[in-house]
Amino acid sequence: MMRLKLTVEYDGTDFYGFQRQPGLRTVDQVLEKAIQDLTGETVKVTGAGRTDAGVHALGQVVAFDSLSTIPAAKFARALNTFLPQDIHAIDSVQVEPDFHPSYSARSKTYRYMIYRSYEGYTMVRRYAHLYTGALNLEMMKAAASIMTGEHDFRSFMAQGSAVRQTVRNIMGFEVMEDYPWLRLEVTGTGFLYHMVRNMAGTLLEIGRGAMSVATLRSALETGDRSLVGPTAPARGLCLIQVHY
Amino acid sequence: MMRLKLTVEYDGTDFYGFQRQPGLRTVDQVLEKAIQDLTGETVKVTGAGRTDAGVHALGQVVAFDSLSTIPAAKFARALNTFLPQDIHAIDSVQVEPDFHPSYSARSKTYRYMIYRSYEGYTMVRRYAHLYTGALNLEMMKAAASIMTGEHDFRSFMAQGSAVRQTVRNIMGFEVMEDYPWLRLEVTGTGFLYHMVRNMAGTLLEIGRGAMSVATLRSALETGDRSLVGPTAPARGLCLIQVHY
């Protein structure tokens, strides 16, 4: 028995998220099916981040146990033969039996892509949120810097989440300009449900002048969900890398 | 009656090309339907380039006559309300009654996109041809430069084309490196059927060392189709701009 760590990328547009839901096309189900086609084994994969429907990944990490004799380093390439076009295994490596893609992770990096022009959006519409209004980038950078560090992010969590421990440490949050692109890149020890999309929505509200930096401070201090911006659309979000 | 010139972009993946074919989703049919939804008129649009199935456009130009009272400059925006996500009108302007998108054009620019890494290809697979082998870029640049100028390109034309005049003038052909991207950008007075895809296929053959620059010279001199490389896949091709 070996434990395999698989790094995968996928275009989330046509997936109903990472986690299995009866009758729907999900990332874990498509991976498990391909592993079965390749090895004959019925496995259960665990992922580092349970991306929502429409959310993409360039560096999702999954792990599973296998009795297969395929050399670990060649597993990714062999698996790709059985995967559809919108998901691809980049790398495979054998790991310790207790490796867990999420619990073993030190941090994760997500990128939120905003496209600021009608021209060319047709080609990037699957991977970017269209926003053509004026944005005060300096304000957005200031807000990203306020969110950096250890904070109680419960106001940035989707309503109805059952998580109790809502303190997270954001190690870096960059606002990168490359017109017509605006990229938000955030690295943290962990993220609450919808947290990155709510952070992106909040930065956009601040950028367009509909929300102040003082309100952001107050959302972090009071945990008041109503102070935070709307959840930005899934299509702009991508899980870039999981750090171990 | 006014004649309208419309600049449109589209993701060609889910279109069976530009030109109407019974029962299939084509660019002209989708545009004509949207114009009818907007104005109530039944029009026939003419395009600058009849892109094949799977070929994209960032600057396709179409023209048609309309009795609509919508101001020309606002037509594009109004039309977008009736267009699906994979096609978008960028600009609309009134032109002379004798304007023809193709015959009035001085030249056209096409771009062929090659992606040289398995990593990240999932996200760009609709718009790029995957080629991960070694390529001699200096050789490719030399070959592109040989194709520049006025030549008889009949060896680069799809078999079965009925066109008699096969001399075309290539004003510029650049090979641009930005790993993992390799972009081929060609501007010419006109292009024969499959000509750009055959040029791209030929450059790839030369880049990987399967064809010599001398063979390319001989293809241009003799018109022998068998000397030219294979037709590169449609997905990598995009009509960038039509110059008037």
Side-chain angles (χ1 to χ4, degrees):
Chain A
M1 173 83 79
M2 66 173 169
R3 188 149 178 84
L4 273 167
K5 171 185 176 234
L6 207 62
T7 306
V8 297
E9 59 181 35
Y10 47 85
D11 172 347
T13 312
D14 301 323
F15 287 103
Y16 285 85
F18 184 86
Q19 202 168 28
R20 188 180 285 276
Q21 295 177 64
L24 297 178
R25 185 177 188 260
T26 57
V27 174
D28 62 358
Q29 171 252 315
V30 167
L31 282 171
E32 289 165 5
K33 168 77 165 60
I35 293 166
Q36 185 163 47
D37 289 345
L38 173 64
T39 69
E41 296 175 296
T42 303
V43 303
K44 176 87 194 76
V45 304
T46 311
R50 283 170 297 178
T51 53
D52 283 336
V55 173
H56 318 286
L58 281 172
Q60 171 74 280
V61 172
V62 304
F64 59 94
D65 296 316
S66 170
L67 291 165
S68 150
T69 54
I70 298 168
K74 298 200 169 154
F75 201 93
R77 186 184 283 203
L79 189 64
N80 283 325
T81 321
F82 298 96
L83 285 173
Q85 277 207 339
D86 55 354
I87 178 162
H88 186 85
I90 299 164
D91 186 50
S92 51
V93 62
Q94 187 172 356
V95 286
E96 295 298 307
D98 65 346
F99 174 83
H100 188 287
S102 181
Y103 305 145
S104 306
R106 278 190 301 112
S107 61
K108 286 175 207 161
T109 300
Y110 281 94
R111 190 182 291 154
Y112 196 87
M113 305 269 277
I114 298 159
Y115 194 81
R116 304 185 63 194
S117 167
Y118 290 112
E119 281 191 42
Y121 183 65
T122 305
M123 303 299 181
V124 300
R125 70 192 188 285
R126 294 164 77 94
Y127 315 110
H129 171 46
L130 178 70
Y131 188 86
T132 58
L135 287 173
N136 184 330
L137 298 184
E138 290 316 308
M139 277 299 193
M140 293 175 75
K141 285 174 189 174
S145 141
I146 287 167
M147 288 192 252
T148 307
E150 195 168 86
H151 299 284
D152 184 339
F153 283 99
R154 69 181 188 278
S155 55
F156 285 84
M157 182 170 64
Q159 274 175 317
S161 290
V163 177
R164 292 222 192 126
Q165 213 314 45
T166 52
V167 173
R168 293 290 183 277
N169 184 18
I170 298 302
M171 289 122 96
F173 198 163
E174 284 194 88
V175 176
M176 288 173 288
E177 213 189 332
D178 178 19
Y179 187 84
W181 288 104
L182 184 65
R183 296 183 178 85
L184 315 177
E185 201 165 299
V186 59
T187 300
T189 48
F191 295 93
L192 302 164
Y193 190 54
H194 278 185
M195 180 169 151
V196 183
R197 288 168 59 188
N198 286 334
M199 286 169 130
T202 297
L203 284 194
L204 281 169
E205 286 295 278
I206 288 171
R208 71 186 185 92
M211 177 176 167
S212 71
V213 161
T215 305
L216 167 62
R217 280 213 179 82
S218 161
L220 288 171
E221 280 158 20
T222 64
D224 184 350
R225 176 73 188 87
S226 72
L227 297 177
V228 163
T231 309
R235 60 176 61 204
L237 187 59
C238 186
L239 172 55
I240 298 294
Q241 207 184 339
V242 186
H243 313 269
Y244 294 97
Chain B
M1 171 84 76
M2 66 173 167
R3 186 149 180 84
L4 273 167
K5 171 186 176 235
L6 208 63
T7 307
V8 298
E9 58 181 35
Y10 47 85
D11 173 346
T13 312
D14 301 324
F15 286 103
Y16 285 85
F18 184 86
Q19 201 170 28
R20 189 181 284 278
Q21 297 177 64
L24 298 177
R25 184 176 188 260
T26 56
V27 174
D28 61 359
Q29 172 253 314
V30 167
L31 283 170
E32 288 166 5
K33 168 76 166 58
I35 293 166
Q36 184 163 47
D37 289 345
L38 173 64
T39 68
E41 296 174 297
T42 304
V43 303
K44 177 85 195 78
V45 305
T46 311
R50 283 170 297 177
T51 54
D52 284 335
V55 173
H56 318 287
L58 282 171
Q60 171 73 279
V61 172
V62 303
F64 58 95
D65 297 316
S66 171
L67 291 164
S68 150
T69 54
I70 299 168
K74 297 200 169 154
F75 200 95
R77 187 184 283 202
L79 189 65
N80 283 324
T81 321
F82 297 96
L83 285 172
Q85 276 207 339
D86 55 354
I87 177 163
H88 186 84
I90 299 164
D91 186 50
S92 51
V93 62
Q94 187 171 358
V95 286
E96 295 298 307
D98 65 348
F99 174 82
H100 188 286
S102 180
Y103 306 146
S104 305
R106 277 190 303 111
S107 62
K108 287 176 206 162
T109 300
Y110 281 93
R111 190 182 291 153
Y112 196 88
M113 306 267 278
I114 298 159
Y115 194 81
R116 303 185 63 195
S117 167
Y118 289 111
E119 280 191 43
Y121 183 65
T122 304
M123 304 300 181
V124 300
R125 69 192 188 284
R126 295 164 77 95
Y127 315 110
H129 170 46
L130 178 70
Y131 188 86
T132 58
L135 287 173
N136 183 330
L137 299 183
E138 290 316 309
M139 277 299 193
M140 292 174 75
K141 285 173 190 174
S145 141
I146 287 167
M147 288 192 251
T148 307
E150 196 169 86
H151 298 283
D152 184 338
F153 282 99
R154 69 183 189 278
S155 56
F156 285 84
M157 181 171 64
Q159 275 175 316
S161 291
V163 177
R164 291 221 194 130
Q165 211 318 42
T166 50
V167 173
R168 293 291 183 276
N169 184 17
I170 298 303
M171 290 123 96
F173 198 163
E174 283 195 90
V175 176
M176 288 174 288
E177 212 189 332
D178 179 18
Y179 187 84
W181 288 105
L182 183 66
R183 297 183 178 85
L184 314 178
E185 201 165 298
V186 58
T187 299
T189 48
F191 294 93
L192 302 164
Y193 189 54
H194 278 184
M195 180 169 152
V196 183
R197 287 167 61 189
N198 286 334
M199 285 169 130
T202 298
L203 283 194
L204 281 169
E205 287 293 279
I206 288 172
R208 72 188 184 91
M211 177 176 167
S212 70
V213 161
T215 305
L216 167 62
R217 279 213 180 84
S218 165
L220 288 171
E221 280 157 22
T222 64
D224 184 351
R225 175 74 188 86
S226 73
L227 297 177
V228 163
T231 310
R235 59 176 60 203
L237 187 61
C238 187
L239 171 55
I240 298 294
Q241 207 185 340
V242 186
H243 312 268
Y244 295 98

